[in-house]
Coordinates of all heavy atoms in Angstrom, one line a residue:
M457 N 13.6 35.7 15.8 CA 13.4 34.3 15.6 C 12.5 34.0 14.5 O 12.8 33.1 13.6 CB 12.8 33.7 16.9 CG 12.6 32.2 16.9 SD 14.1 31.4 17.0 CE 13.6 29.7 17.2
M458 N 11.3 34.7 14.4 CA 10.4 34.5 13.3 C 11.0 34.9 11.9 O 10.8 34.3 10.9 CB 9.2 35.3 13.5 CG 8.2 34.6 14.5 SD 7.7 32.9 14.0 CE 6.6 33.3 12.7
K459 N 11.8 36.0 12.0 CA 12.5 36.5 10.7 C 13.5 35.4 10.2 O 13.6 35.3 9.0 CB 13.2 37.8 10.9 CG 12.3 39.0 11.1 CD 13.0 40.3 11.2 CE 12.0 41.4 11.2 NZ 12.6 42.7 11.2
M460 N 14.1 34.8 11.1 CA 15.1 33.7 10.7 C 14.3 32.5 10.1 O 14.8 32.0 9.1 CB 15.8 33.2 12.0 CG 16.9 32.2 11.7 SD 17.8 31.7 13.1 CE 16.7 30.5 13.8
I461 N 13.2 32.2 10.6 CA 12.4 31.1 10.0 C 11.8 31.5 8.6 O 11.9 30.7 7.7 CB 11.3 30.6 11.0 CG1 11.9 30.1 12.2 CG2 10.4 29.7 10.3 CD1 10.9 29.8 13.3
I462 N 11.4 32.7 8.6 CA 10.9 33.2 7.3 C 12.0 33.2 6.2 O 11.8 32.9 5.0 CB 10.2 34.6 7.5 CG1 8.9 34.4 8.3 CG2 9.9 35.2 6.1 CD1 8.2 35.7 8.7
N463 N 13.2 33.7 6.6 CA 14.3 33.7 5.7 C 14.7 32.3 5.3 O 15.1 32.1 4.1 CB 15.5 34.5 6.3 CG 15.2 35.9 6.3 OD1 14.5 36.5 5.6 ND2 15.9 36.6 7.2
K464 N 14.6 31.3 6.2 CA 14.9 30.0 5.8 C 14.0 29.5 4.7 O 14.4 28.8 3.8 CB 14.7 29.0 7.0 CG 15.9 28.9 7.9 CD 16.9 27.9 7.3 CE 17.9 27.6 8.4 NZ 19.1 27.1 7.8
F465 N 12.7 29.7 4.9 CA 11.7 29.3 3.9 C 11.9 30.0 2.5 O 11.7 29.5 1.5 CB 10.3 29.6 4.3 CG 9.8 28.5 5.3 CD1 9.5 28.8 6.6 CD2 9.7 27.2 4.8 CE1 9.1 27.8 7.5 CE2 9.2 26.2 5.7 CZ 8.9 26.5 7.0
K466 N 12.3 31.3 2.6 CA 12.6 32.1 1.3 C 13.7 31.5 0.6 O 13.8 31.6 -0.6 CB 12.7 33.5 1.6 CG 11.4 34.2 2.0 CD 11.7 35.7 2.2 CE 10.4 36.4 2.6 NZ 10.6 37.9 2.9
N467 N 14.8 31.0 1.3 CA 16.0 30.6 0.7 C 16.1 29.1 0.4 O 17.1 28.6 0.1 CB 17.2 31.0 1.6 CG 17.3 32.6 1.7 OD1 17.0 33.2 0.8 ND2 17.8 33.0 2.8
L468 N 15.0 28.4 0.5 CA 15.0 26.9 0.2 C 15.2 26.7 -1.2 O 14.9 27.5 -2.1 CB 13.6 26.4 0.7 CG 13.4 26.2 2.1 CD1 12.0 25.6 2.3 CD2 14.4 25.2 2.7
D469 N 15.8 25.6 -1.5 CA 16.1 25.1 -2.9 C 14.7 24.9 -3.6 O 13.7 24.5 -2.9 CB 16.9 23.9 -2.9 CG 17.3 23.5 -4.3 OD1 17.7 24.4 -5.1 OD2 17.4 22.3 -4.5
V470 N 14.6 25.0 -4.9 CA 13.4 24.9 -5.6 C 12.8 23.5 -5.5 O 11.7 23.3 -5.3 CB 13.6 25.3 -7.1 CG1 12.3 25.0 -7.9 CG2 14.0 26.8 -7.2
K471 N 13.7 22.5 -5.6 CA 13.3 21.1 -5.6 C 12.8 20.7 -4.1 O 11.8 20.0 -4.0 CB 14.5 20.2 -5.9 CG 14.8 20.2 -7.4 CD 16.0 19.3 -7.7 CE 16.4 19.3 -9.2 NZ 17.5 18.5 -9.5
V472 N 13.4 21.3 -3.1 CA 13.0 21.0 -1.8 C 11.7 21.6 -1.5 O 10.8 21.1 -0.9 CB 14.0 21.5 -0.7 CG1 13.5 21.4 0.7 CG2 15.4 20.7 -1.0
K473 N 11.4 22.9 -2.1 CA 10.2 23.6 -1.9 C 9.1 22.8 -2.6 O 7.9 22.7 -2.1 CB 10.2 24.9 -2.6 CG 10.7 26.0 -1.7 CD 10.6 27.4 -2.4 CE 11.3 28.4 -1.6 NZ 11.2 29.7 -2.2
L474 N 9.3 22.2 -3.8 CA 8.4 21.4 -4.5 C 8.0 20.1 -3.7 O 6.8 19.8 -3.6 CB 8.9 21.0 -5.9 CG 8.0 20.3 -6.8 CD1 6.8 21.1 -7.2 CD2 8.7 19.9 -8.1
I475 N 8.9 19.5 -3.1 CA 8.7 18.3 -2.3 C 7.9 18.6 -1.1 O 6.9 18.0 -0.7 CB 10.0 17.6 -1.9 CG1 10.6 17.0 -3.2 CG2 9.8 16.5 -0.9 CD1 12.0 16.4 -2.9
M476 N 8.3 19.8 -0.5 CA 7.5 20.2 0.7 C 6.0 20.6 0.3 O 5.1 20.3 1.1 CB 8.2 21.4 1.4 CG 9.4 21.0 2.1 SD 10.2 22.5 2.9 CE 9.0 23.1 4.0
L477 N 5.9 21.2 -0.8 CA 4.5 21.6 -1.2 C 3.7 20.4 -1.5 O 2.5 20.4 -1.1 CB 4.6 22.5 -2.5 CG 3.3 23.0 -3.0 CD1 2.6 23.9 -2.0 CD2 3.5 23.7 -4.4
N478 N 4.2 19.4 -2.2 CA 3.5 18.1 -2.4 C 3.2 17.4 -1.1 O 2.1 16.8 -0.9 CB 4.3 17.2 -3.4 CG 4.2 17.8 -4.8 OD1 3.4 18.4 -5.2 ND2 5.3 17.4 -5.5
G479 N 4.1 17.5 -0.2 CA 3.9 16.9 1.2 C 2.8 17.6 1.9 O 1.9 17.0 2.6
F480 N 2.7 18.9 1.8 CA 1.7 19.7 2.4 C 0.3 19.3 1.8 O -0.7 19.3 2.5 CB 1.9 21.2 2.3 CG 3.1 21.7 3.0 CD1 3.7 22.9 2.6 CD2 3.7 21.0 4.1 CE1 4.8 23.4 3.3 CE2 4.8 21.5 4.8 CZ 5.3 22.7 4.4
K481 N 0.3 19.2 0.5 CA -1.0 18.8 -0.1 C -1.4 17.4 0.3 O -2.6 17.2 0.6 CB -0.8 18.8 -1.7 CG -0.7 20.1 -2.3 CD -0.5 20.0 -3.8 CE -0.2 21.4 -4.4 NZ 0.1 21.3 -5.9
F482 N -0.5 16.5 0.5 CA -0.9 15.2 1.0 C -1.4 15.2 2.4 O -2.4 14.7 2.7 CB 0.4 14.2 0.9 CG 0.2 12.9 1.6 CD1 -0.6 12.0 1.0 CD2 0.8 12.7 2.8 CE1 -0.7 10.7 1.6 CE2 0.6 11.5 3.5 CZ -0.1 10.5 2.8
A483 N -0.7 16.0 3.3 CA -1.1 16.1 4.7 C -2.4 16.8 4.8 O -3.3 16.4 5.6 CB -0.1 16.8 5.5
F484 N -2.7 17.8 3.9 CA -4.0 18.5 3.9 C -5.1 17.5 3.5 O -6.2 17.6 4.1 CB -3.9 19.7 3.0 CG -5.2 20.5 3.0 CD1 -5.6 21.2 4.1 CD2 -6.0 20.5 1.9 CE1 -6.7 22.0 4.1 CE2 -7.2 21.2 1.9 CZ -7.6 22.0 3.0
G485 N -4.9 16.7 2.4 CA -5.9 15.8 2.0 C -6.2 14.7 3.1 O -7.3 14.4 3.3
F486 N -5.1 14.3 3.7 CA -5.3 13.4 4.9 C -6.1 14.0 6.0 O -6.9 13.4 6.6 CB -3.9 13.0 5.4 CG -3.7 11.6 5.9 CD1 -4.0 10.5 5.1 CD2 -3.3 11.4 7.2 CE1 -3.8 9.3 5.6 CE2 -3.2 10.2 7.7 CZ -3.5 9.1 6.9
C487 N -5.9 15.3 6.2 CA -6.6 16.1 7.3 C -8.1 16.2 6.9 O -8.9 16.1 7.8 CB -5.9 17.4 7.4 SG -6.6 18.4 8.8
I488 N -8.3 16.5 5.6 CA -9.7 16.6 5.2 C -10.4 15.3 5.3 O -11.6 15.2 5.7 CB -9.8 17.1 3.7 CG1 -9.2 18.6 3.6 CG2 -11.2 17.0 3.1 CD1 -10.1 19.6 4.4
F489 N -9.8 14.2 4.9 CA -10.3 12.8 5.1 C -10.7 12.5 6.6 O -11.8 12.0 6.8 CB -9.4 11.8 4.5 CG -9.9 10.4 4.6 CD1 -11.0 10.0 3.9 CD2 -9.3 9.5 5.5 CE1 -11.4 8.7 4.0 CE2 -9.7 8.2 5.5 CZ -10.8 7.8 4.8
S490 N -9.8 12.9 7.5 CA -10.0 12.6 8.9 C -11.2 13.5 9.4 O -12.0 13.0 10.2 CB -8.8 12.8 9.7 OG -8.4 14.1 9.7
T491 N -11.2 14.7 8.9 CA -12.4 15.6 9.3 C -13.7 15.1 8.8 O -14.7 15.1 9.5 CB -12.1 17.0 8.8 OG1 -10.8 17.5 9.2 CG2 -13.2 18.0 9.2
F492 N -13.7 14.5 7.6 CA -14.9 13.9 7.1 C -15.3 12.7 7.9 O -16.6 12.5 8.2 CB -14.6 13.4 5.6 CG -15.8 12.7 5.0 CD1 -16.9 13.5 4.6 CD2 -15.7 11.4 4.7 CE1 -18.0 12.8 4.0 CE2 -16.8 10.8 4.1 CZ -17.9 11.5 3.7
I493 N -14.4 11.9 8.4 CA -14.7 10.7 9.3 C -15.3 11.3 10.6 O -16.3 10.7 11.1 CB -13.5 9.8 9.5 CG1 -13.1 9.1 8.2 CG2 -13.7 8.9 10.6 CD1 -11.9 8.3 8.3
L494 N -14.7 12.3 11.1 CA -15.2 12.8 12.4 C -16.6 13.5 12.2 O -17.4 13.4 13.1 CB -14.2 13.9 12.9 CG -12.9 13.3 13.6 CD1 -12.0 14.4 13.9 CD2 -13.2 12.5 14.8
A495 N -16.8 14.1 11.1 CA -18.1 14.6 10.8 C -19.2 13.5 10.7 O -20.4 13.7 11.2 CB -18.1 15.5 9.5
I496 N -18.8 12.4 10.0 CA -19.7 11.3 10.0 C -20.0 10.8 11.4 O -21.2 10.5 11.7 CB -19.1 10.1 9.1 CG1 -19.1 10.6 7.6 CG2 -19.9 8.9 9.3 CD1 -18.4 9.6 6.8
Y497 N -19.0 10.7 12.2 CA -19.3 10.3 13.6 C -20.2 11.2 14.3 O -21.1 10.8 15.1 CB -17.9 10.1 14.4 CG -18.2 9.9 15.9 CD1 -18.5 8.7 16.3 CD2 -18.0 11.0 16.8 CE1 -18.8 8.5 17.7 CE2 -18.2 10.8 18.1 CZ -18.6 9.6 18.6 OH -18.8 9.4 19.9
H498 N -20.0 12.5 14.1 CA -20.7 13.6 14.8 C -22.2 13.5 14.4 O -23.1 13.6 15.3 CB -20.2 15.0 14.5 CG -21.0 16.1 15.2 ND1 -21.0 16.3 16.5 CD2 -21.8 17.0 14.6 CE1 -21.7 17.3 16.8 NE2 -22.2 17.8 15.6
Y499 N -22.5 13.3 13.2 CA -23.9 13.3 12.7 C -24.6 12.0 12.8 O -25.8 12.0 13.0 CB -24.0 13.8 11.2 CG -23.6 15.3 11.1 CD1 -22.5 15.7 10.4 CD2 -24.5 16.2 11.7 CE1 -22.2 17.0 10.4 CE2 -24.2 17.6 11.6 CZ -23.1 18.0 10.9 OH -22.8 19.3 10.9
L500 N -23.9 10.9 12.8 CA -24.5 9.6 12.8 C -24.3 8.8 14.1 O -25.1 7.9 14.5 CB -24.0 8.7 11.7 CG -24.3 9.2 10.2 CD1 -23.8 8.3 9.2 CD2 -25.7 9.5 10.0
C501 N -23.3 9.2 14.9 CA -22.9 8.6 16.2 C -23.0 7.0 16.1 O -23.7 6.4 16.8 CB -23.8 9.1 17.3 SG -23.6 10.8 17.6
M502 N -22.3 6.5 15.1 CA -22.4 5.1 14.8 C -21.7 4.3 15.9 O -22.3 3.6 16.7 CB -21.9 4.7 13.5 CG -22.7 5.3 12.3 SD -21.9 5.1 10.7 CE -22.1 3.4 10.5
T503 N -20.4 4.4 16.0 CA -19.6 3.6 17.0 C -18.5 4.5 17.5 O -18.0 5.4 16.8 CB -18.9 2.4 16.3 OG1 -17.9 2.8 15.4 CG2 -19.9 1.5 15.7
P504 N -18.0 4.3 18.7 CA -16.9 5.1 19.2 C -15.6 4.8 18.5 O -14.7 5.6 18.4 CB -16.8 4.6 20.6 CG -18.0 4.0 21.0 CD -18.6 3.4 19.7
M505 N -15.5 3.7 17.8 CA -14.3 3.3 17.0 C -14.1 4.4 15.9 O -13.0 4.7 15.6 CB -14.4 1.9 16.4 CG -13.2 1.5 15.6 SD -11.7 1.4 16.6 CE -11.8 -0.2 17.2
L506 N -15.2 4.9 15.3 CA -15.1 5.8 14.2 C -14.5 7.1 14.7 O -13.7 7.8 14.1 CB -16.5 6.1 13.7 CG -16.7 6.7 12.3 CD1 -16.0 5.8 11.3 CD2 -18.1 6.9 12.0
Y507 N -14.8 7.5 16.0 CA -14.2 8.7 16.6 C -12.7 8.5 16.8 O -11.9 9.4 16.5 CB -14.9 9.0 18.0 CG -14.2 10.0 18.8 CD1 -14.4 11.4 18.4 CD2 -13.4 9.7 19.8 CE1 -13.7 12.4 19.1 CE2 -12.8 10.7 20.6 CZ -12.9 12.0 20.2 OH -12.3 13.0 20.9
Y508 N -12.3 7.3 17.3 CA -10.9 7.1 17.5 C -10.1 7.1 16.2 O -9.0 7.6 16.1 CB -10.7 5.8 18.3 CG -11.2 5.9 19.7 CD1 -12.2 5.0 20.2 CD2 -10.7 6.9 20.6 CE1 -12.7 5.1 21.5 CE2 -11.2 7.0 21.9 CZ -12.2 6.1 22.3 OH -12.6 6.2 23.6
V509 N -10.7 6.5 15.2 CA -10.0 6.5 13.9 C -9.8 7.9 13.4 O -8.8 8.2 12.8 CB -10.8 5.5 12.9 CG1 -10.3 5.8 11.5 CG2 -10.7 4.1 13.3
G510 N -10.9 8.7 13.5 CA -10.8 10.0 13.0 C -9.8 10.9 13.7 O -9.0 11.6 13.1
T511 N -9.8 10.8 15.0 CA -8.8 11.6 15.8 C -7.3 11.1 15.6 O -6.4 11.9 15.5 CB -9.1 11.5 17.3 OG1 -9.1 10.1 17.7 CG2 -10.4 12.2 17.6
I512 N -7.2 9.8 15.4 CA -5.8 9.3 15.1 C -5.4 9.8 13.7 O -4.2 10.2 13.5 CB -5.8 7.7 15.2 CG1 -5.9 7.4 16.7 CG2 -4.5 7.2 14.6 CD1 -6.1 5.9 17.0
L513 N -6.2 9.7 12.8 CA -5.9 10.2 11.4 C -5.6 11.7 11.4 O -4.7 12.1 10.7 CB -7.0 9.8 10.4 CG -7.1 8.4 10.0 CD1 -8.3 8.2 9.1 CD2 -5.9 7.9 9.3
F514 N -6.4 12.4 12.2 CA -6.1 13.9 12.3 C -4.8 14.2 12.9 O -4.0 15.0 12.4 CB -7.3 14.5 13.1 CG -7.2 16.0 13.1 CD1 -7.5 16.7 12.0 CD2 -6.7 16.7 14.2 CE1 -7.5 18.1 11.9 CE2 -6.6 18.1 14.2 CZ -7.0 18.8 13.0
R515 N -4.4 13.5 14.0 CA -3.1 13.7 14.6 C -2.0 13.3 13.6 O -1.0 14.0 13.6 CB -3.0 13.0 15.9 CG -3.8 13.6 17.0 CD -3.6 12.9 18.3 NE -4.4 11.7 18.4 CZ -4.2 10.7 19.2 NH1 -3.2 10.7 20.0 NH2 -5.1 9.7 19.2
T516 N -2.2 12.2 12.9 CA -1.2 11.7 11.9 C -1.0 12.8 10.8 O 0.2 13.0 10.5 CB -1.6 10.4 11.4 OG1 -1.8 9.4 12.4 CG2 -0.6 9.9 10.4
S517 N -2.1 13.4 10.4 CA -1.9 14.4 9.3 C -1.2 15.6 9.8 O -0.4 16.1 9.0 CB -3.3 14.8 8.8 OG -4.1 15.4 9.7
L518 N -1.5 16.0 11.0 CA -0.7 17.1 11.6 C 0.8 16.8 11.7 O 1.7 17.6 11.5 CB -1.2 17.6 12.9 CG -2.6 18.2 12.8 CD1 -3.1 18.6 14.3 CD2 -2.6 19.4 11.9
M519 N 1.1 15.6 12.1 CA 2.5 15.2 12.2 C 3.2 15.1 10.9 O 4.3 15.5 10.8 CB 2.6 13.8 12.9 CG 2.4 13.9 14.5 SD 3.5 15.0 15.3 CE 5.0 14.4 14.9
F520 N 2.4 14.7 9.8 CA 3.0 14.7 8.5 C 3.4 16.1 8.1 O 4.4 16.3 7.5 CB 2.0 14.1 7.5 CG 2.0 12.6 7.4 CD1 0.8 11.9 7.1 CD2 3.2 11.8 7.6 CE1 0.8 10.5 7.0 CE2 3.1 10.4 7.5 CZ 2.0 9.8 7.2
F521 N 2.5 17.0 8.4 CA 2.8 18.4 8.0 C 4.1 18.9 8.7 O 4.9 19.5 8.1 CB 1.6 19.3 8.4 CG 1.8 20.8 8.1 CD1 1.6 21.2 6.8 CD2 2.1 21.6 9.1 CE1 1.8 22.6 6.5 CE2 2.3 23.0 8.8 CZ 2.1 23.4 7.5
V522 N 4.2 18.6 10.0 CA 5.3 19.1 10.8 C 6.6 18.4 10.2 O 7.7 19.0 10.1 CB 5.1 18.8 12.3 CG1 6.4 19.1 13.1 CG2 4.0 19.7 12.8
D523 N 6.5 17.1 9.9 CA 7.6 16.3 9.5 C 8.1 16.9 8.1 O 9.3 17.0 7.9 CB 7.2 14.8 9.3 CG 7.1 14.2 10.6 OD1 7.6 14.7 11.7 OD2 6.5 13.0 10.6
F524 N 7.2 17.2 7.2 CA 7.6 17.8 6.0 C 8.4 19.1 6.1 O 9.3 19.4 5.4 CB 6.4 17.9 5.0 CG 6.1 16.6 4.3 CD1 5.0 16.0 4.5 CD2 7.0 16.1 3.3 CE1 4.7 14.8 3.9 CE2 6.7 15.0 2.6 CZ 5.6 14.3 3.0
V525 N 7.9 19.9 7.1 CA 8.6 21.2 7.3 C 10.0 20.9 7.9 O 11.0 21.5 7.4 CB 7.8 22.0 8.4 CG1 8.6 23.2 8.8 CG2 6.5 22.5 7.8
I526 N 10.1 20.1 8.9 CA 11.4 19.8 9.5 C 12.4 19.1 8.6 O 13.5 19.6 8.4 CB 11.2 19.0 10.8 CG1 10.5 19.8 11.9 CG2 12.5 18.5 11.3 CD1 10.0 19.0 13.0
L527 N 11.9 18.1 7.8 CA 12.8 17.4 6.9 C 13.1 18.3 5.7 O 14.2 18.1 5.2 CB 12.1 16.1 6.5 CG 12.0 15.1 7.5 CD1 11.2 13.9 7.1 CD2 13.3 14.6 8.0
G528 N 12.2 19.1 5.3 CA 12.6 20.0 4.1 C 13.7 21.0 4.5 O 14.6 21.2 3.8
I529 N 13.6 21.6 5.7 CA 14.6 22.5 6.2 C 15.9 21.7 6.4 O 17.0 22.2 6.0 CB 14.2 23.2 7.4 CG1 13.1 24.2 7.1 CG2 15.3 24.0 8.0 CD1 12.4 24.8 8.3
G530 N 15.8 20.5 7.0 CA 17.0 19.7 7.2 C 17.7 19.3 5.9 O 19.0 19.5 5.8
F531 N 17.0 18.8 4.9 CA 17.6 18.4 3.6 C 18.2 19.6 2.9 O 19.3 19.5 2.3 CB 16.6 17.7 2.7 CG 16.3 16.2 3.1 CD1 15.1 15.8 3.3 CD2 17.4 15.4 3.2 CE1 14.9 14.5 3.7 CE2 17.2 14.1 3.5 CZ 15.9 13.6 3.7
D532 N 17.5 20.8 3.0 CA 18.1 22.0 2.4 C 19.4 22.4 3.0 O 20.4 22.7 2.3 CB 17.1 23.1 2.4 CG 17.5 24.3 1.6 OD1 17.7 24.1 0.4 OD2 17.7 25.4 2.3
T533 N 19.4 22.3 4.3 CA 20.7 22.6 5.0 C 21.8 21.7 4.7 O 22.9 22.1 4.4 CB 20.4 22.6 6.5 OG1 19.4 23.5 6.9 CG2 21.7 23.0 7.3
I534 N 21.5 20.4 4.6 CA 22.6 19.4 4.3 C 23.0 19.6 2.8 O 24.2 19.6 2.5 CB 22.0 18.0 4.5 CG1 21.8 17.7 5.9 CG2 22.9 16.9 3.8 CD1 21.1 16.4 6.3
K535 N 22.0 19.9 2.0 CA 22.4 20.1 0.5 C 23.3 21.3 0.3 O 24.2 21.2 -0.5 CB 21.1 20.2 -0.3 CG 21.3 20.2 -1.8 CD 20.0 20.3 -2.5 CE 20.2 20.3 -4.0 NZ 18.9 20.3 -4.7
K536 N 23.0 22.4 1.1 CA 23.9 23.5 0.9 C 25.2 23.4 1.6 O 26.2 23.9 1.1 CB 23.1 24.8 1.6 CG 22.0 25.2 0.7 CD 21.3 26.4 1.4 CE 20.1 26.9 0.5 NZ 19.4 28.0 1.1
Q537 N 25.3 22.5 2.6 CA 26.6 22.3 3.2 C 27.5 21.4 2.3 O 28.7 21.5 2.3 CB 26.5 21.6 4.6 CG 26.0 22.6 5.6 CD 25.8 21.9 7.0 OE1 26.0 20.7 7.1 NE2 25.5 22.7 8.0
M538 N 26.9 20.5 1.5 CA 27.6 19.6 0.7 C 28.1 20.3 -0.6 O 29.1 20.0 -1.2 CB 26.7 18.4 0.2 CG 26.4 17.5 1.3 SD 27.8 16.6 1.8 CE 27.1 15.3 2.6
A539 N 27.4 21.4 -1.0 CA 27.8 22.1 -2.2 C 28.9 23.0 -2.0 O 29.4 23.4 -1.0 CB 26.6 22.9 -2.7

């Protein structure tokens, strides 16, 4: 199963890989931003709203990462079937 997934990533189109890489960078930046917000909450304990905002942003960044993986593989599969 893992070999199949690794082979899928190795055989991706160059343009799809580039889009996925940029998406990963975006999701990682979003994740760092949410971690920064959670660190501010941890050290300053200002309001509980800061905690909720940080956790929601963190979950959103993880979902962006997963979405870019799934959509990248999906678009590559569709593109190869059309060709």
